[in-house]
Amino acid sequence: MTISLFSFTALTLVALAMVCLSPLLLIALLVIDFKRGELW
Amino acid sequence: MQSTHWSIPAGNSDFSLIKHVTEIFKTVCLSASLTRFFWLTSLLLAASPLCAQQIKLSSNTEISTEGYFVLSWQPETAIADNGASAKHDAVFLRQSQSRDFSVSKKYAIASIEALTLSGFEDGEYFFQIVSPAGNSNVLQVRVQHHALSKAMGFFLTGLLLFVVLACSIFFGLKQSKDENLG
Amino acid sequence: MKTLDSALSPGMGAAILVVFSLIWIVFGYYLGRKNKSLDDYMLAGRNVGLAFATATAMATWVTSNTTMTAPQLTYQLGVWGMVGYSLGAVGLLLFAPLAKRIKALLPHGFTSGDFIRRRYGIAAWRIFLIISLFYAFGWLISLGMAGGILVNTLSGLDYHLGMSIILFVCVCYTLMGGLRAVIATDFVQTLIIIIGVIIIAVLVIQNVGFDTIHRNLKEDHPQLLNLLFPAAIMFLFNNLLFGVGEIFHSNVWWSRAFAFRENTGAKAYLLAGLCWLPIPVAAGFVALAAPSLNILVPSADMVGPLVAGKVLGSVGAVIVFIVVFSALASSLDSLLAATADLITQDIYRGHLKPDASNEDCLKASKFVILILGLGAWALCLLKLSTLASLLYFTGAFVASTIWPIVFGLFFRWPGKFAVSAAMVSGTVLGLASYFMIGFYVAALVSCAVSLVVTLVFSKFENHLFDFDSLQSTDKP
């Protein structure tokens, strides 16, 4: 049972998209924490 | 002695990088012992220049249950030297599913000293290094995957354990919240 | 051994090492000035916010494994290899509710050992400490050696030099800045790692393309695309349980649960798990492009750097070098800090000097970081291959602690004797299965045995624990 080209592509692209979003999320959280003075 | 470690299946990978380190580590040990080996070999060769040098091809396992294995060869110099002087395709490793290599796939191995191959289906595979200095022994590797039923057994056990774990945490959390409320 | 065509020059490697070393050390010094008390030093003031909390959980879980082992496993076990590897995120996700419970149960706790001792008594505590220290020390040494070897492979710099520099830098900034320095550097290191992974993945897609990869594998390496690949199917849940075992028992994660602000822990672990989940797939799938790129792989663990070098040339080697250095540092520092806490609290205060004050512990903690660093350095210097092979087995060890921790945190019925027996028998049978079947079942077997033993023996023990007894601040 071979994974289809479509599923393989979709799996990789979705993962890559999620990876791209995570730095944005981290920086957004940092800015919010910093503004509230809640870093530490 | 260290090079015997090399023959542990190269694929045993743990979750953390532990395995990976061990692998590289073995590689380093191997290169150390290889250096020693070459030193000895060159001494021997100097003593008897006519001594013929057959390339010895070996693998880390005769039967692979995962479809991957590591091929290595000795002495490496025979190949590396030819690789440097001749064109890259003068030395190659050929792979076939028949002993006579009627249909074969070639790998130009001049610049490396081991080769990890993966993704093979069940079957017998034959390998041989072809070089102007002479061919190596024919190496046979059998790939025989674990039975699917056995694999499924472990898979289902794992799934069951995971479900028990998730449920324990879920109900535990719920119960602890109830306690706090009461 | 030279396996990379496009390796860095030793000078370039040294330059990168020096620049990043200076950055981390200055950062650590700057952050360490704020530390006053033991809580500040060991647990960053017990008030870490969501951004830092998420980044540190994520960065610590991204050891060099995600950048190196993910491609390796993908190369060996195919699509299920990378998906199974990303299931390691489940450990982080499931630890989220635990973190909340831990902070509520033990508001004054320091280590995972603290909990085991007060919940199950001395005998279970000692077994747990052996497992925990075995794992921590093994991980520490493996990271140190990985540092030296990777620096050597990528740039040709001497193994001893690379290993010494990486250990020295991590000890230095952890010593000066405590957990605060560890957490702040983790944030920067996470960003570096993710950006590196993205660049390499995008370039592979651009240069090779999915259809070429798929077609090539289907012809020559069909098992890698096979969804019924037996070894890979066995690996799937084993890997999940291994990750759960690593995270649930290790003080690296417990100390963070204590350090994070009230109501932050659960959210942080959940977010970190979600952010970590796709990384092994993005980092791992590049290995599948190796055949299409005509890359011959000497050993599976080098497939990541080889592909990066091929698609990016020497720039690729620089990126891999920086990413791996960051990944190594982000785990090494956490491990140093958390293991030092465990030794200070559970060995020094627990076994050697029960009446030690917090000031004594602060001093001891710094001393322990130094000793740990030196010890790891000395063992790495020896390059003992037998030592390195011991580390294969940690899956069997850590998976046996899952049930004692989970049941112990939430329920009153698990007994002292039952969990001790569970940890010992799980480890032993897990190791046996490792040798009889393969690495991909050790954690699974250990976990299953530990579950059965915990349930059955607790039934016989028939004792109910009083959770209120955990709230006090008493010392051992």
Side-chain angles (χ1 to χ4, degrees), chain C residues 36 47 62 70 78 85 169-170 199 226 253 262 287 323 331 386 388 398 402 419 472 476:
Chain C
K36 290 185 190 73
N47 206 22
V62 182
Y85 197 72
V169 169
C170 292
I199 293 176
N226 184 2
W253 309 97
E262 197 80 50
V323 166
S331 303
T386 43
V398 298
I402 296 175
V419 298
S472 61

Side-chain angles (χ1 to χ4, degrees), chain B residues 14 23-24 27 66 116 118, chain C residues 1 75 149 297 301 392 440:
Chain B
D14 280 341
E23 282 308 311
I24 305 188
T27 315
E66 295 87 15
T116 303
S118 66
Chain C
M1 160 164 171
Y75 189 73
I149 292 165
V297 182
D301 47 38
Y392 285 115
Y440 34 81

Side-chain angles (χ1 to χ4, degrees), chain A residues 1-3, chain B residues 121, chain C residues 77 79-80 221-230 232-233:
Chain A
M1 197 168 88
T2 306
I3 187 171
Chain B
E121 288 182 319
Chain C
L77 297 177
V79 172
W80 274 138
H221 309 271
Q223 280 292 327
L224 298 183
L225 295 175
N226 184 2
L227 296 177
L228 293 175
F229 183 170
I233 291 176

